[in-house]
Amino acid sequence: KNQVEQSPQSLIILEGKNCTLQCNYTVSPFSNLRWYKQDTGRGPVSLTIMTFSENTKSNGRYTATLDADTKQSSLHITASQLSDSASYICVVSDNSGGYQKVTFGIGTKLQVIP
Amino acid sequence: DTEVTQTPKHLVMGMTNKKSLKCEQHMGHRAMYWYKQKAKKPPELMFVYSYEKLSINESVPSRFSPECPNSSLLNLHLHALQPEDSALYLCASSQGGQRGQFFGPGTRLTVL
């Protein structure tokens, strides 16, 4: 059974600090891994996407890493801002013909406080 | 255009009403999805359309009826819903290959 596990479940950090979120997965066959940011009551917004051959992908203050051997990914947020408060969801896709089957992590709820 | 749009943003309906949710994308994606998301839970897959044909129906009650009029549009028709159907309904689209899914902003549905 495909699974995506994220840790921690929740995190509180001071504004300006860095943090790292973790994602472990057992999805096969692997196609890609995306990190999404989701504000309460809104749809997920993609931050990064990585395929099997990519180790690191950056998007502004967000840097994602992928170790396909150990099936682990991390999302590092640098110089956090209050607007970073949201849920961060790790989503792993496998390619099944003409559409993608995805497995969602439960998310890490991040709260940035002043 | 790398956007999935959904209308309406919010919807309040009674249990006897008939309403529709709409989703649109102009990225040329050939797969479109409906998800239901309850608070503090990951999205749950409801339906998948691939090349305008229904590929997956995750045992969703018949009070939810999807429709794919063309490759850019996806509708979800609602009839005789229950209060427990209140949730955020997300539409997504994807292309083949390794690009993952793009999500719309969602429709917040409340059933009274």
Side-chain angles (χ1 to χ4, degrees):
Chain A
K1 181 183 175 185
N2 290 340
Q3 285 189 311
V4 176
E5 296 181 350
Q6 291 187 242
S7 62
Q9 287 192 1
S10 62
L11 183 62
I12 301 175
I13 62 173
L14 291 173
E15 184 180 12
K17 297 295 186 183
N18 304 336
C19 67
T20 300
L21 315 180
Q22 300 290 342
C23 173
N24 297 336
Y25 62 92
T26 53
V27 173
S28 181
F30 176 86
S31 175
N32 60 76
L33 184 149
R34 270 191 188 238
W35 282 95
Y36 291 89
K37 176 185 178 186
Q38 186 173 25
D39 294 309
T40 301
R42 300 285 293 171
V45 175
S46 179
L47 298 175
T48 63
I49 180 169
M50 286 183 293
T51 59
F52 186 87
S53 58
E54 295 173 300
N55 303 118
T56 304
K57 187 70 71 76
S58 290
N59 176 6
R61 295 181 296 103
Y62 302 103
T63 299
T65 65
L66 175 64
D67 186 333
D69 292 330
T70 62
K71 298 188 178 181
Q72 295 180 326
S73 176
S74 66
L75 180 69
H76 186 74
I77 304 175
T78 305
S80 61
Q81 300 175 358
L82 297 178
S83 59
D84 292 334
S85 297
S87 287
Y88 291 83
I89 306 173
C90 176
V91 181
V92 183
S93 300
D94 70 65
N95 248 345
S96 301
Y99 59 89
Q100 295 207 337
K101 295 179 68 176
V102 300
T103 304
F104 291 87
I106 200 165
T108 292
K109 188 172 177 61
L110 175 66
Q111 185 177 355
V112 181
I113 59 175
Chain B
D1 186 357
T2 57
E3 195 178 44
V4 177
T5 59
Q6 289 187 244
T7 55
K9 289 185 179 179
H10 303 277
L11 179 62
V12 179
M13 59 187 291
M15 289 189 285
T16 58
N17 291 156
K18 285 185 181 180
K19 297 287 184 182
S20 296
L21 309 184
K22 296 185 184 301
C23 174
E24 190 167 2
Q25 57 88 13
H26 295 288
M27 295 178 278
H29 290 174
R30 302 313 297 264
M32 296 185 76
Y33 311 75
W34 279 116
Y35 290 89
K36 173 184 177 181
Q37 187 178 24
K38 302 286 270 186
K40 300 182 182 180
K41 299 285 187 182
E44 298 173 1
L45 182 64
M46 300 175 72
F47 303 104
V48 180
Y49 272 83
S50 178
Y51 292 88
E52 298 157 52
K53 290 195 175 3
L54 185 63
S55 297
I56 292 181
N57 175 344
E58 292 284 357
S59 302
V60 178
S62 59
R63 57 186 185 267
F64 295 91
S65 175
E67 178 196 18
C68 188
N70 59 57
S71 59
S72 300
L73 292 174
L74 185 65
N75 299 323
L76 186 62
H77 303 298
L78 315 173
H79 174 53
L81 294 193
Q82 304 296 310
E84 59 264 29
D85 296 322
S86 299
L88 180 68
Y89 287 84
L90 296 166
C91 174
S93 69
S94 73
Q95 187 60 305
Q98 299 174 318
R99 296 301 299 156
Q101 294 185 12
F102 290 80
F103 283 87
T107 293
R108 168 70 64 188
L109 174 67
T110 302
V111 182
L112 301 177

